């Protein structure tokens, strides 16, 4: 009953509320306005503005005629011109607040966008820019700024990858001096630095309609005197065309130059047809263009556009982004209404004075969009395909899948040579095709079609030349106090001679271009200069390069670029040696003491094994303990000369002897060869065997002044600096080695092999001991990313292939007979490590034979049963007795011995002792 009353009560309440609920639904329906205002700020008479104005008008018309979106609400677009002025753009943005615009399309200019974005943030009105590409317009600083085009950070990455693809290392950048130009070039610097490239020179020019030709002429004249020939132009259309016009006049659009223009140029080329004289100034330039996929919808719109404009105005990518921006706002507003959003405004009171007035400005018209944040969220969550491609934003509020077309200006138009996408880099395949496969940014997957470069050439420009301002390269040359065969000054002149000089001159002569240079000496000639200080002067700009006997080591490669090594080099140890006379005990020298011990033990071990295997069946291995011991020793030692008289009767024994005789044969042959060498060839000996023994001692070590050996020994090897003695000449080397550590000299000298070869050519009492313990080479040093280092490396390889490098080496570096006689001392004595395999094989054979033999004895012990109680005889005694007892020969053995079967009496006489005892009993 209570339940029935409860249901009735709630039913009455619901019936009474139906009129009210109907009124609420009616009111919510009425709250959707019939008109929604949006604004657009851009420059009407610009190449972007002309196309964008018409494109947005067509987009509004298409939205209002589409019944599936906004339904009964009409979208109204109000357009204002900013005239590329930040002040005008701000004023126009404030005027939009009077019309209650829920969103602003634009501004077109990055400069204007920076200013108007502050207004959009304060009034919470989403601002969708279809043309502002400044990468510093971030969503963190301006949360209500939404970029519906591509950021210049992507475009500059594309430019950097093009430069890296062609192998250029330095570029020149010309940019318009405003937020758009400065921030774009800054992004280019970062992208180039990530690829070990750089901007060698950048210059800004004034922005605005009035371009100063004289200013641009001065800039280009200065650029023509510089080394780089790769020029990136990031400007507006008016200043950009003036740059190309002046460059063409100055002859800078000829062969050898590379011109790369950002998408400002493709925007103009796509929208209007330029006269022939203007196209002539652009021939061979590479241009980037924002990529838009070729879809049926896009082709239909292009056909509609041509009919609308009668072919007088082309449609570029910014126009497509403007068209899609209108649809983006329309769909966001439609979702906004479906979520119950209400367009309402609140007066902006932050700038009002205490009397409620705007301080003389019409600030009463300014109001805040109450639900602007909700509309902004719907914009950022949009996901549809427009004319320009996917309209979807990532976490950084940037459009997904950015891509660019790379076109080449040829004749009266452009030719596409490839694409760049953030997905797979450079490619001749469209990005839409690549999206179906996993991303591949490997260098082997980067491709572009051939380019017709300035000067109508298909050959890739080198990208740099030597400056034509009369400046010669300052090539540093060390003045050595010793080893002048490598480099030395010519008296009375400013020229140099030597091995390193001849290699450098020969390599420069092979270059396909002239290299103006002059040698600049480094050092006083009284002592060898520090090569670390020498190469560091390249990083400071004092030298443009350095040649000489410069070792390529790790710490130098971190700050410099080296050419291909033209001479092999590495550190070696030089020590005094003495001749070893053969003497009366020379016969012991072929083997090391350990080898003698192991060999002797092996003879005795094999003798014992053979005795065990033959003792039961062979009378020659039986007898008294003294006779058996003599037999073991005699048999084992006689095998050394293959003169053993004892016959082996067991199969296991014969197998062991066969393997042992093979080992003895190898040992005999090696001993004979080594002894012959000792008695006929002069042997050398040194107290130092190499770097390890030198490091383990505490004796002084010499090194050459200025060499990197000092740093290597102290930092890498860990030798105390107090042990190192600096020496400056071959004479000082010889004197220090002759004196030795006890008389104030050194135990050894560590130096690079080329110096040591010359030193040993005149000093026959010293030798290289041990092995070369570093592997390096000599090369010519240049600043980082120097193109001359790459070209000279190619020339050095060519010298090596033709044999000219070896001929230059033989001209300056000669070696005497004593240096060739025995340059490296190492022990010729035979060591155990050379024979361990043979000993192991022999040992395994012996072990297997013994195991088989004892298994046979155990089997015989198990089968035999004593005829009388043996409770007092243990198993060990039975085993030893069985091993020691004499075994009679088999019937086949008797036949082999006597030719017929033996008599029963002989058989009885050869029974084992155990059976004889039983018979006697």
């Amino acid at each position: 009953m209570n339940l029935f009353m409860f249901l009735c009560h709630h039913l009455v309440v619901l019936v009474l509320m139906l009129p009210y609920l109907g009124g609420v639904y009616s009111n919510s329906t009425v709250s959707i306005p019939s008109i929604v205002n949006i604004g657009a700020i851009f420059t009407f008479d610009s190449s972007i503005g002309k196309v964008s104005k018409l494109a947005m008008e067509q987009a509004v018309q298409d939205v209002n005629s589409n019944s599936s979106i906004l339904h009964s609400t009409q979208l109204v677009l109000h357009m204002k011109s900013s005239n590329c002025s930040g002040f005008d753009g701000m004023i126009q943005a404030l005027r939009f607040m009077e019309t209650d615009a829920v969103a602003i399309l634009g501004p077109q200019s990055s400069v204007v966008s920076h200013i108007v974005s502050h207004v959009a943030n304060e009034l919470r009105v989403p601002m969708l820019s279809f043309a502002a590409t400044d990468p510093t317009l971030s969503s963190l600083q301006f949360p209500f700024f939404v970029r519906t085009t591509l950021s210049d950070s992507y475009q500059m990455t594309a430019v950097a990858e093009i430069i890296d693809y062609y192998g250029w290392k330095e570029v020149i950048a010309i940019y318009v001096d405003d937020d758009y130009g400065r921030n774009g070039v800054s992004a280019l610097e970062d992208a180039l630095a990530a690829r070990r490239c750089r901007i060698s020179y950048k210059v800004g020019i004034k922005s605005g309609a009035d371009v100063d030709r004289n200013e641009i002429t001065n800039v280009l004249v200065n650029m023509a005197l510089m080394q780089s020939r790769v020029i990136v132009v990031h400007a507006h259309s008016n200043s950009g065309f003036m740059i190309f016009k002046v460059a063409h006049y100055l002859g800078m659009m000829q062969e050898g130059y590379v011109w790369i223009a950002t998408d400002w140029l493709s925007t103009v080329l796509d929208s209007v047809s330029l006269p022939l004289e203007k196209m002539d100034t652009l021939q061979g330039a590479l241009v980037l263009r924002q990529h838009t996929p070729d879809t049926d919808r896009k082709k239909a719109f292009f056909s509609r556009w041509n009919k609308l404009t009668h072919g007088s105005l082309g449609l570029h990518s910014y126009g497509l982004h403007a068209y899609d921006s209108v649809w983006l706002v329309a769909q966001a507003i439609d979702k906004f209404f479906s979520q119950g959003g209400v367009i309402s405004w609140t007066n902006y009171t932050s700038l009002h004075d205490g009397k409620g007035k705007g301080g003389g400005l019409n600030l009463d018209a300014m109001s805040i969009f109450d639900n602007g944040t909700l509309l902004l969220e719907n914009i950022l969550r949009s996901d549809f395909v427009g004319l320009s491609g996917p309209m979807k934003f990532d976490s950084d509020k940037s459009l997904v899948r950015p891509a660019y077309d790379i076109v080449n200006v040829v004749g009266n138009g452009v030719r596409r040579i490839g694409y760049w996408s953030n997905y797979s880099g450079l490619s001749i395949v469209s990005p839409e095709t690549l999206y179906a496969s996993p991303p591949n940014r490997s260098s082997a997957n980067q491709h572009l079609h051939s380019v017709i470069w300035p000067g109508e050439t298909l050959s890739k420009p080198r990208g740099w030349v030597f400056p034509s301002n009369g400046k010669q390269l300052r090539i540093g040359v060390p003045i050595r106090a010793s080893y002048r065969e490598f480099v030395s000054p010519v008296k009375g002149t400013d020229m140099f001679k030597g091995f390193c000089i001849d290699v450098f001159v020969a390599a420069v002569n092979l270059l396909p271009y002239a290299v103006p240079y002059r040698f600049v000496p480094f050092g006083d000639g009284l002592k060898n200069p520090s090569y670390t200080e020498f190469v560091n002067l390249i990083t400071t700009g004092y030298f443009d390069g350095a040649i000489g006997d410069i070792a390529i080591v790790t710490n130098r490669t971190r700050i410099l670029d080296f050419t291909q090594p033209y001479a092999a080099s590495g550190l070696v140890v030089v020590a005094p040696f003495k001749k070893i006379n053969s003497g009366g005990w020379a016969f012991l020298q072929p083997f090391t003491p350990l080898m003698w011990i192991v060999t002797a033990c092996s003879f005795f071990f094999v003798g014992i094994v053979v005795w065990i295997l033959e003792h039961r069946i062979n009378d020659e291995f039986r007898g008294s303990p003294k006779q058996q011991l003599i037999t073991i020793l005699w048999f084992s030692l006689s095998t050394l000369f293959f003169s053993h008289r004892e016959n082996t009767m067991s199969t296991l024994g014969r197998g062991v002897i066969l393997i042992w005789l093979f080992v003895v044969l190898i040992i005999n042959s090696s001993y004979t060869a080594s002894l012959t060498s000792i008695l006929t060839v002069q042997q050398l000996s040194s107290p130092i065997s190499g770097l390890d023994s030198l490091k383990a001692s505490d004796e002084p070590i010499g090194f050459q002044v200025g060499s990197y050996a000092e740093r290597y020994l102290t930092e890498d090897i860990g030798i105390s600096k107090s042990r190192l003695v600096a020496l400056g000449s071959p004479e000082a080397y010889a004197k220090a080695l002759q004196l030795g550590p006890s008389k104030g000299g050194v135990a050894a000298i560590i130096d690079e092999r080329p110096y040591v070869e010359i030193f040993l050519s005149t000093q026959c009492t010293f030798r290289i001991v041990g092995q070369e313990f570093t592997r390096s080479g000599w090369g010519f040093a240049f600043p980082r990313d120097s193109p001359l280092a790459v070209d000279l490396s190619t020339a050095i390889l060519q010298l090596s292939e033709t044999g000219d490098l070896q001929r230059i080496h033989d001209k300056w570096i000669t070696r005497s007979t004593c240096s060739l006689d025995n340059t490296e001392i190492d022990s010729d004595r035979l060591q155990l490590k050379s024979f361990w395999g043979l000993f192991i094989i022999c040992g395994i054979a012996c072990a297997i034979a013994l195991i088989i033999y004892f298994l046979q004895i155990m089997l015989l012990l198990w089968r035999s049963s004593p005829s009388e109680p043996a409770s007092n005889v243990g198993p060990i005694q039975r085993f030893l007795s069985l091993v020691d007892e004499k075994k009679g020969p088999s019937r086949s053995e008797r036949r082999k011995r006597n030719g017929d079967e033996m008599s029963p009496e002989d058989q009885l006489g050869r029974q084992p002792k155990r059976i004889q005892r039983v018979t006697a009993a």
Side-chain angles (χ1 to χ4, degrees), residues 164 168-169 191-198 560-561 784-785:
D164 185 54
W168 302 315
K169 293 300 181 182
L192 289 173
R195 291 155 182 83
R196 289 195 62 183
C197 305
R198 69 186 184 96
L560 299 171
D561 277 353
R784 293 298 296 269
D785 303 322

Side-chain angles (χ1 to χ4, degrees), residues 300-362:
F301 188 79
F302 264 86
S303 177
R304 172 183 166 190
W305 181 272
N306 292 331
K307 294 179 181 179
L308 185 65
T309 61
H310 304 288
S312 61
L313 186 62
L315 181 61
H316 48 60
S317 58
Y318 287 105
L320 297 176
H321 286 300
Y323 180 91
D324 290 341
S325 298
V326 175
W327 273 93
L328 182 65
V329 172
Q331 292 191 14
I333 294 175
D334 186 58
K335 293 179 181 178
F336 175 81
F337 287 150
S338 65
Q339 295 170 352
V342 178
I343 298 178
S344 61
W345 303 84
T346 301
N347 288 338
Y348 187 78
T349 59
S350 296
L351 297 178
H352 287 266
D353 57 16
K355 299 180 181 180
K357 296 182 180 181
L361 297 176
N362 187 20

Side-chain angles (χ1 to χ4, degrees), residues 496-507 799 808 811-812:
F496 288 80
K497 64 179 180 179
F499 169 67
C500 304
I501 301 299
D502 283 1
V503 173
F504 176 76
V505 173
L799 288 174
I808 297 174
K811 172 186 174 182
W812 291 98

Side-chain angles (χ1 to χ4, degrees), residues 156-157 159-161 163-164 168-172 185-200 232:
M156 295 308 174
T157 301
V159 173
E161 292 197 14
I163 293 170
D164 185 54
W168 302 315
K169 293 300 181 182
E170 293 185 358
V171 301
I172 296 174
V185 170
S186 178
L188 176 61
E189 282 186 303
D190 295 339
L192 289 173
R195 291 155 182 83
R196 289 195 62 183
C197 305
R198 69 186 184 96
I199 298 178
S200 59
V232 178

Side-chain angles (χ1 to χ4, degrees), residues 170-404:
E170 293 185 358
V171 301
I172 296 174
I174 307 178
Y175 61 94
V176 61
D177 195 10
D178 58 14
D179 293 337
Y180 159 77
R182 286 191 300 271
N183 297 328
V185 170
S186 178
L188 176 61
E189 282 186 303
D190 295 339
L192 289 173
R195 291 155 182 83
R196 289 195 62 183
C197 305
R198 69 186 184 96
I199 298 178
S200 59
Y201 178 71
K202 61 181 178 180
V203 59
I205 58 177
K206 295 179 180 179
S207 61
D210 297 330
V211 180
D212 189 347
R213 180 187 176 101
N214 293 330
E215 177 188 356
I216 294 178
T217 301
N218 293 333
V219 168
L220 294 181
V221 168
N222 291 332
M223 287 169 39
L225 300 177
M226 297 179 182
Q227 176 173 287
S228 178
R229 286 294 183 265
V230 183
I231 304 169
V232 178
V233 181
H234 186 54
H236 300 309
S237 57
N238 52 358
S239 56
F241 281 118
M242 180 61 70
I243 291 173
F244 278 100
K245 182 178 179 180
V246 175
H248 184 267
Y249 173 78
L250 295 176
M252 299 176 66
M253 296 299 296
Q254 301 299 321
E255 184 176 355
Y257 282 89
V258 178
W259 290 84
I260 302 176
T262 53
D263 60 359
W264 64 267
L265 182 54
S266 61
T267 301
V268 179
L269 295 176
D270 291 340
S271 59
V272 295
S273 297
L274 298 178
L276 293 178
E277 58 271 13
K278 184 170 286 190
M279 290 297 297
D280 288 341
T281 64
L282 305 173
Q283 295 300 304
L286 293 182
V287 186
L288 274 76
R289 176 174 59 198
Q290 293 191 23
H291 174 74
T292 55
D294 294 328
T295 59
D296 294 337
R297 184 183 173 194
K298 175 184 171 182
K299 293 177 182 178
F301 188 79
F302 264 86
S303 177
R304 172 183 166 190
W305 181 272
N306 292 331
K307 294 179 181 179
L308 185 65
T309 61
H310 304 288
S312 61
L313 186 62
L315 181 61
H316 48 60
S317 58
Y318 287 105
L320 297 176
H321 286 300
Y323 180 91
D324 290 341
S325 298
V326 175
W327 273 93
L328 182 65
V329 172
Q331 292 191 14
I333 294 175
D334 186 58
K335 293 179 181 178
F336 175 81
F337 287 150
S338 65
Q339 295 170 352
V342 178
I343 298 178
S344 61
W345 303 84
T346 301
N347 288 338
Y348 187 78
T349 59
S350 296
L351 297 178
H352 287 266
D353 57 16
K355 299 180 181 180
K357 296 182 180 181
L361 297 176
N362 187 20
L363 301 179
D364 292 336
M366 295 181 61
S367 54
I368 299 174
F369 185 14
D370 295 331
N371 291 318
T373 303
L374 178 60
L375 179 59
L376 176 64
E377 292 175 355
N378 287 323
I379 291 173
L380 296 177
R381 286 197 296 263
S382 299
D383 187 3
F384 68 96
V385 178
L387 296 180
S388 61
M391 296 300 293
K392 183 180 179 180
F393 299 93
D394 57 19
S395 58
D396 295 330
K397 297 183 181 180
S398 300
L399 290 177
V400 297
R401 294 183 174 177
Y404 284 86

Side-chain angles (χ1 to χ4, degrees), residues 448-688:
L448 290 176
H449 289 298
S450 60
V451 179
I452 299 179
W453 303 99
E456 299 182 358
T457 177
L458 292 175
S459 300
K460 185 200 78 171
R462 193 169 64 247
W464 70 279
V465 295
F466 285 100
S468 56
N469 55 5
K471 178 183 177 182
Q472 293 179 323
L473 295 180
R474 292 172 54 88
I475 304 299
V477 181
I479 301 181
R480 299 187 53 86
S482 60
Y483 297 111
R484 293 175 173 269
E485 295 88 348
F486 298 111
V487 56
S488 62
V490 179
K491 293 183 178 180
T493 67
D494 57 354
M495 299 301 296
F496 288 80
K497 64 179 180 179
F499 169 67
C500 304
I501 301 299
D502 283 1
V503 173
F504 176 76
V505 173
V508 169
N509 291 336
L510 291 178
L511 297 179
Y513 49 85
V515 180
Y517 66 89
R518 64 186 181 93
F519 292 137
V520 179
F522 176 78
D524 55 11
L526 301 178
K527 64 178 181 179
N528 294 333
S530 170
Y531 279 60
T532 301
E533 298 178 4
F534 179 41
V535 296
N536 283 340
L537 291 178
I538 301 177
T539 62
T540 63
Y542 183 77
F543 290 137
D544 298 314
I547 66 173
D549 47 338
I550 306 173
I552 305 174
V553 293
T554 304
N555 62 328
R556 295 173 184 172
T557 57
R558 294 191 180 103
I559 59 176
L560 299 171
D561 277 353
F562 283 88
T563 62
Q564 174 78 15
Y566 61 87
S569 175
L571 294 179
V572 293
V573 178
V574 179
F577 72 96
K578 63 180 179 179
K579 297 180 180 180
I580 302 177
N581 296 322
S582 56
W585 299 95
F587 66 91
L588 295 176
Q589 294 180 8
F591 288 166
T592 61
L594 180 61
M595 181 65 183
W596 279 115
I597 294 173
V598 173
T599 303
C601 292
S602 299
F603 274 95
F604 187 71
F605 174 74
V606 171
I608 293 176
V609 171
V610 174
W611 175 82
I612 293 174
L613 298 176
E614 296 290 324
H615 179 68
R616 294 185 71 245
I617 61 176
N618 196 334
D619 292 337
E620 295 179 352
F621 288 87
R622 301 184 64 83
S624 63
K626 180 179 179 180
Q627 292 176 341
Q628 295 183 47
L629 179 61
I630 294 174
T631 300
I632 292 174
L633 295 176
W634 169 253
F635 176 81
S636 60
L637 292 176
S638 63
T639 57
L640 178 63
F641 310 101
F642 303 97
S643 60
H644 52 286
R645 292 179 300 175
E646 293 79 7
N647 295 321
T648 54
M649 301 177 61
S650 67
T651 304
L652 295 176
R654 290 171 180 173
V656 170
I657 286 298
L658 179 64
I659 296 176
W660 172 243
L661 290 179
F662 176 74
V663 174
V664 171
L665 176 64
I666 300 299
I667 293 177
N668 275 339
S669 302
S670 301
Y671 175 85
T672 304
S674 180
L675 182 60
T676 302
S677 175
I678 291 174
L679 296 177
T680 58
V681 179
Q682 180 64 60
Q683 299 297 306
L684 306 177
S685 175
S686 173
I688 304 298

